[in-house]
Amino acid sequence: MAAAHDLLLSLTILLISALSTADDTCRAVPSLGDVTVLPQRRDVYGSGGRTIYDITHRYTPDMPAFESADGIGDILKLASSMKNGSFANISELKLSSHTGTHVDAPGHFYDEYFDAGFDVDSLDLDVLNGAALLVDVPRDTNITAKAIESLHIPKGVIRVLFRTLNTDRELMFKKEFDSTYVGFTEDGAQWLVDNTDIKLVGTDYLSVAAYEDLISAHLVFLKNREVILVEALKLDNVPAGIYDVHCLPLRLIGAEGSPIRCILIKS
Ligand SMILES: *[C@@H]1O[C@H](CO)[C@@H](O)[C@H](O)[C@H]1NC(C)=O
Ligand SMILES: *[C@@H]1O[C@H](CO)[C@@H](O)[C@H](O)[C@H]1NC(C)=O
Ligand SMILES: *[C@@H]1O[C@H](CO)[C@@H](O)[C@H](O)[C@H]1NC(C)=O
């Protein structure tokens, strides 16, 4: 009897303390973490033998934009601001869907595909995620048939990220667009489509196609709607080799391009 009474008493105390805690929580102003500590911005994460490389470029006003001398400018606007009495800070984003690290959908260069709805939401996540090879392209050439042949990429490799002279020249960190960037020539794109199993092509500047072959190389790649193009990857300080790549575009219905977050995982 006494034991049952004790149990009832302690349950009651528990209940009361739980209720008052809940009440306190409702009224209390949450205490902030230490805001004098600078936020960490990292490109490499990892623990327990696993390393994650973020191969996405940061969006800054000085990031280059295709054929522009001025960079992407202010793509973020604080539409509602606490300093101006709003209940929260709320930003708006306005940008070309081909800004920074991004993906191209077939509709980018084929109007028929655009009209038929082959947008970024229709891209195959199975191609955008999985085992991938990061290779170094010889630095004295565009990605021509000869250059890609010299890389001896084995059959069965589906995802390849091509690091080029663009990374050495740090072109993605230069505000002014540089049309002398390295990319695929038309014959390089054709060689890849005809002779390899590659379905995910990644490069390190704003276009996978060299400037002089801008349209023709894109047309070769996108024609069969099998190859997915990821552009402006951040490939500095990542060792060449085999990884798991994860690339996720936004589900923008009707868009022929999308910003994309890409990471490489080495376990
Ligand atoms: C945004 O919100 C924070 C509080 O989270 C506030 O201190 C700050 O002043 C706001 N910034 C602007 C520009 O309103
Ligand atoms: C607050 O409002 C004023 C007046 O509309 C505007 O000039 C200012 O830029 C706003 N500030 C922010 C942080 O939104
Ligand atoms: C690559 O091609 C572009 C023209 O599209 C050219 O300006 C550039 O010099 C070439 N780069 C190399 C390394 O051959």
Side-chain angles (χ1 to χ4, degrees), residues 150-191:
S150 78
L151 295 173
H152 300 291
I153 295 164
K155 278 268 177 190
V157 173
I158 293 171
R159 304 168 196 87
V160 181
L161 313 182
F162 296 89
R163 179 166 47 203
T164 74
L165 183 62
N166 302 334
T167 294
D168 300 3
R169 294 178 68 202
E170 302 183 343
L171 291 188
M172 279 304 294
F173 297 96
K174 291 175 182 156
K175 183 174 174 177
E176 190 171 343
F177 175 73
D178 189 331
S179 65
T180 67
Y181 69 89
V182 161
F184 276 84
T185 57
E186 183 184 350
D187 77 315
Q190 195 64 59
W191 198 91

Side-chain angles (χ1 to χ4, degrees), residues 104-106 109-110 113 143 148 162 183-194 196 198-203 207-210 213-231:
D104 287 353
F109 277 86
Y110 285 97
Y113 290 161
I143 315 179
I148 175 163
F162 296 89
F184 276 84
T185 57
E186 183 184 350
D187 77 315
Q190 195 64 59
W191 198 91
L192 182 143
V193 168
D194 293 343
T196 75
I198 300 170
K199 298 289 178 270
L200 180 67
V201 174
T203 60
S207 165
V208 295
D213 293 52
L214 187 64
I215 297 175
S216 59
H218 271 99
L219 288 176
V220 169
F221 278 138
L222 298 175
K223 188 174 176 189
N224 294 334
R225 303 198 315 264
E226 282 185 349
V227 174
I228 301 181
L229 306 174
V230 178
E231 297 163 325

Side-chain angles (χ1 to χ4, degrees), residues 78 81 83-84:
L78 200 57
S81 133
K83 288 208 173 64
N84 271 2

